[in-house]
Amino acid sequence: MTATRLPGPPRSSLLWRVFSANAVVLIVAVALLAVLPVTVSWPVNAWELVVMAVGLVATLTVNLILLRRIFTPLGRLRDTMATIDPLRPGQRVDVGARSVEVAALTAAFNDMLDRLEGERRRSSRRAQAAQEEERRAISLELHDQVGQNLTALLLQLDVALLSAEGKQRKALQTSIMTVRDSLAQVRTIVHRLRPEALEDLGLVGAIGHLCTRVSRDSGLPIERSLDRTVPTLSPDAQLVVYRVTQESLTNVVRHAAAGAATVELVPHRGGVRLTIADDGAGTARLMQEGSGIRGMRERALMVGARLTVRQRVPGGIEISLEVPGDEVRP
Amino acid sequence: MTHKTIDVLVVDDHPAVRTGLQALINAHEDMRAVGEAWDEFTLPPAIHRCDPDVVLLDYQLPGANGIELCRRTKANVMAPLVIIYSAFVGPAMAVRACIAGADALVDKGVQPSVLATTIQRVADGERVLPEVTSETMTLAGEMLDPDDLPILGMLVNGIPTSDVAETLHLDQPALDERLDRMLVALA
C-alpha cells in the first residue's frame, strides 16, 4: 500500500475539511458585511435586495468551489474503481486524497485488489496443476490402454494379412488403414495433452519442437527466433509459456488463414518475452472476444505475466507474453 | 546372418502387444520369437535363458524404461543387439538411445513390415537410428558435462564404444560410468 501514503500537505478528516470550508466562507461573508458600507433597512428596498442576492450567490459559489475541491478525489476513486480490469493485474488507485476518509478508502480498495490478485493467482496455479495432472493421467491411460490395444490389433491384422487372399485381403487392408489412423489420432492427442518435450528438452527446445510439429502437421511455415540465453523460468511459468505458444499456434492454424507465422522468445527485463505473430485475416477485436485469449490471459495471470494482443499492419495478429523476472528460477 | 534364423526376444509390458509382436516375428521365415519379458526383472533371466540375437525392447515399461534396460543389457559382454521400440521417438530420445548403445530406434507408429525389415537390417550389422540434428546436439551439449561431449559426438557418429574407450584412453568401467552419468544428465 505504498501508493496512497503520498508526501504532501497533512491530511484531515472529511468532516473537518467541509466544516472549515463553510466556516471560512461564513467568516469572510460576515467580515465583509462588517467592513463594507452595506446596510439593510426595514422594509428592505430594491437596491439592498439586489446587493443581498449578489452576496448570497457569491457566498454559495465560493462554497461550492471549495466543496468540489474536497470531494473530487472521491469521484476519481469511483471512476478508477469502475475501470479496474480483473484480467490486467497490477493496476492500483492513486487519487491524491487529502482527507483521511478518502485515503483510507483508497488504501482499503488497493489492499483488497492485492488480496484478490494474490488469491486469484494461487487458485489459478492450483487449477493449472490440477488440469495438468488430469491431462497427464488421461494421456497415460490413452497411451497405455487404447494405444497399446490398437498397436496389438495392428500387429495381429498385419500377421493375418500375410496369409490372406482376394476379398479378405482387401478388407484386412482397409481395417489396417483404419487402425493406423486411429493410432495416429491417439498419438496426436497424447502429444497435445502432455508436453513431455518440456521435461526432455527444456523450454527453448520444447517450443522449437512444437513449432516443427505444428508446421509439419499443418503445412504452415513457422519462422523461429528462439534465444538460448533466456533465463530458466519456474516450472509453472515454463508451462504457461509453452501452453500460450501451443494455443496461439492452434488459433493461427485454425482461424487465421495465415501464410506464415513467427515465434520469438527473448530475454526481457530480467524475465522473458514470447511473441507469436501471423499475417492472416484475424482481427484483434475478434481475438479479444475469443475464449482462447481469455484462457491465455488467465494462464498468464497466475505467473504475473502480461499478455497483449495487437493488430498488425497490413494484417494479422501479434500476441505477446511478458513473464516477469520474479518467475526466474534462482 | 541372413541365412540363419534371427532369434528375437520381445519385451513389452502389454500382453496383447507381446502376442502381436511374436506373431509378426514368427510370420517371417528368417526370424522367430524365442521368448518374452515385461520389465527390468524378467529381462535378464530371459536373455540368459533364450540367448537371443536381437532384443526388441519397448521404451515405456514399469520401473526402469527401455533406455535404461538397453544400457544395462549392453554393459554385458556378448550383449545381444537391441532395438528400442517406442511410441515417442523424439529428438531427445534418439540421443539417449545412442548413448545407451541401442542398435535401432523404431517408432511404434511405423508399419509392422518396417519393424520386420529393421530386425533384419540390425541382424545384418546395420545401425538404424534417426538422424540427430545439430539443434538437438546443441541442446544435449548444454545439459552434459563438457568432458562428455566428445563421447556423445563419437557415439552419434556410430563409433563403437570400444573404439571410443581407446580414443579417449579410458578403460571400459570408466567409460561405462561416463555413459551412465550422461544418461542421468539427459533424463
Side-chain angles (χ1 to χ4, degrees):
Chain A
M1 297 323 331
T2 49
T4 53
R5 288 274 157 213
L6 287 176
R11 294 206 178 103
S12 45
S13 85
L14 198 57
L15 173 73
W16 186 244
R17 286 170 67 84
V18 171
F19 173 74
S20 9
N22 280 321
V24 166
V25 170
L26 278 177
I27 289 166
V28 169
V30 168
L32 286 177
L33 214 54
V35 297
L36 291 179
V38 285
T39 49
V40 183
S41 50
W42 195 90
V44 66
N45 67 36
W47 169 244
E48 287 165 355
L49 213 56
V50 170
V51 170
M52 269 162 58
V54 169
L56 185 64
V57 167
T59 314
L60 289 178
T61 310
V62 171
N63 204 358
L64 180 66
I65 291 171
L66 288 176
L67 288 182
R68 246 176 78 170
R69 266 182 58 107
I70 294 169
F71 284 104
T72 304
L74 260 184
R76 277 207 298 265
L77 178 59
R78 184 206 54 214
D79 291 347
T80 327
M81 279 173 165
T83 58
I84 295 278
D85 180 351
L87 286 179
R88 283 172 216 273
Q91 297 158 289
R92 291 294 176 268
V93 180
D94 175 17
V95 293
R98 293 266 192 83
S99 70
V100 174
E101 285 88 346
V102 176
L105 196 59
T106 311
F109 180 68
N110 283 342
D111 196 38
M112 187 185 78
L113 284 182
D114 278 348
R115 276 180 288 128
L116 281 180
E117 280 175 13
E119 178 48 36
R120 187 185 184 122
R121 215 189 256 210
R122 280 191 295 277
S123 66
S124 308
R125 274 189 195 252
R126 279 198 298 273
Q128 166 165 290
Q131 193 189 35
E132 289 299 329
E133 187 47 49
E134 188 70 22
R135 286 179 173 204
R136 190 178 295 268
I138 294 173
S139 77
L140 263 182
E141 227 154 277
L142 258 182
H143 174 260
D144 287 356
Q145 312 292 324
V146 183
Q148 296 286 52
N149 279 337
L150 286 175
T151 306
L153 182 60
L154 190 59
L155 290 165
Q156 283 152 7
L157 285 174
D158 212 68
V159 172
L161 187 66
L162 291 175
S163 58
E165 275 167 18
K167 264 192 174 168
Q168 229 184 354
R169 196 176 166 76
K170 203 85 189 161
L172 275 174
Q173 276 167 337
T174 315
S175 314
I176 287 174
M177 295 267 272
T178 313
V179 176
R180 285 179 61 80
D181 284 350
S182 312
L183 199 54
Q185 284 157 8
V186 167
R187 285 152 58 88
T188 308
I189 297 171
V190 168
H191 270 304
R192 216 170 33 219
L193 285 174
R194 208 168 60 163
E196 83 247 28
L198 208 51
E199 291 153 24
D200 272 8
L201 306 172
L203 183 61
V204 174
I207 289 184
H209 192 51
L210 179 69
C211 292
T212 311
R213 216 171 53 222
V214 171
S215 207
R216 191 189 59 208
D217 292 349
S218 65
L220 176 80
I222 300 175
E223 193 191 314
R224 286 173 261 174
S225 131
L226 310 173
D227 189 333
R228 293 201 181 291
T229 63
V230 291
T232 306
L233 300 175
S234 70
D236 276 348
Q238 286 193 24
L239 201 55
V240 169
V241 175
Y242 184 85
R243 291 289 189 204
V244 166
T245 314
Q246 194 176 28
E247 178 83 10
S248 305
L249 288 178
T250 308
N251 279 343
V252 173
V253 169
R254 280 201 191 141
H255 308 298
T262 57
V263 174
E264 184 193 66
L265 187 73
V266 290
H268 178 74
R269 292 185 187 163
V272 304
R273 190 183 66 211
L274 168 79
T275 313
I276 297 126
D278 68 80
D279 60 357
T283 68
R285 239 170 65 80
L286 260 175
M287 294 283 286
Q288 293 284 13
E289 287 154 18
S291 64
I293 292 290
R294 207 190 149 77
M296 285 193 246
R297 266 200 212 297
E298 281 171 359
R299 274 186 190 286
L301 266 189
M302 77 185 126
V303 293
R306 219 163 67 98
L307 187 102
T308 43
V309 181
R310 206 166 64 78
Q311 172 85 51
R312 290 175 84 207
V313 180
I317 301 282
E318 182 187 284
I319 290 178
S320 101
L321 177 79
E322 290 173 15
V323 182
D326 47 16
E327 282 295 334
V328 170
R329 195 147 47 177
Chain B
M1 261 231 269
T2 37
H3 54 279
K4 179 188 165 285
T5 309
I6 308 162
D7 291 343
V8 185
L9 176 70
V10 173
V11 189
D12 198 301
D13 58 326
H14 198 281
V17 175
R18 280 203 303 275
T19 313
L21 286 170
Q22 294 188 49
L24 173 83
I25 290 161
N26 289 329
H28 289 78
E29 273 179 16
D30 53 352
M31 56 184 87
R32 63 172 179 178
V34 290
E36 55 180 20
W38 44 90
D39 59 16
E40 57 187 307
F41 306 109
T42 49
L43 177 61
I47 290 178
H48 182 72
R49 192 175 58 242
C50 311
D51 187 26
D53 300 311
V54 176
V55 176
L56 183 57
L57 185 56
D58 182 29
Y59 171 70
Q60 288 221 309
L61 293 170
N65 65 38
I67 297 278
E68 289 172 59
L69 292 187
C70 172
R71 174 79 198 94
R72 284 185 213 169
T73 305
K74 285 292 190 180
N76 295 320
V77 192
M78 301 291 290
L81 299 162
V82 175
I83 299 175
I84 294 177
Y85 186 52
S86 169
F88 303 105
V89 174
M93 171 90 67
V95 174
R96 287 160 67 207
C98 262
I99 298 171
D103 298 281
L105 177 59
V106 179
D107 193 309
K108 275 196 173 176
V110 301
Q111 293 191 9
S113 58
V114 174
L115 180 61
T117 320
T118 307
I119 293 174
Q120 286 154 352
R121 285 170 64 187
V122 165
D124 279 341
E126 222 181 304
R127 248 167 126 248
V128 192
L129 293 166
E131 198 199 341
V132 177
T133 60
S134 57
E135 196 182 17
T136 315
M137 280 295 276
T138 316
L139 274 169
E142 280 165 16
M143 296 165 85
L144 291 175
D145 191 313
D147 289 350
D148 293 337
L149 291 181
I151 303 182
L152 178 64
M154 284 189 261
L155 290 179
V156 165
N157 286 305
I159 294 168
T161 45
S162 52
D163 292 2
V164 173
E166 198 175 317
T167 311
L168 295 175
H169 306 294
L170 290 168
D171 56 3
Q172 196 61 44
L175 181 63
D176 283 343
E177 199 181 299
R178 299 271 285 268
L179 293 177
D180 287 336
R181 181 171 84 181
M182 290 164 78
L183 283 178
V184 169
L186 290 173

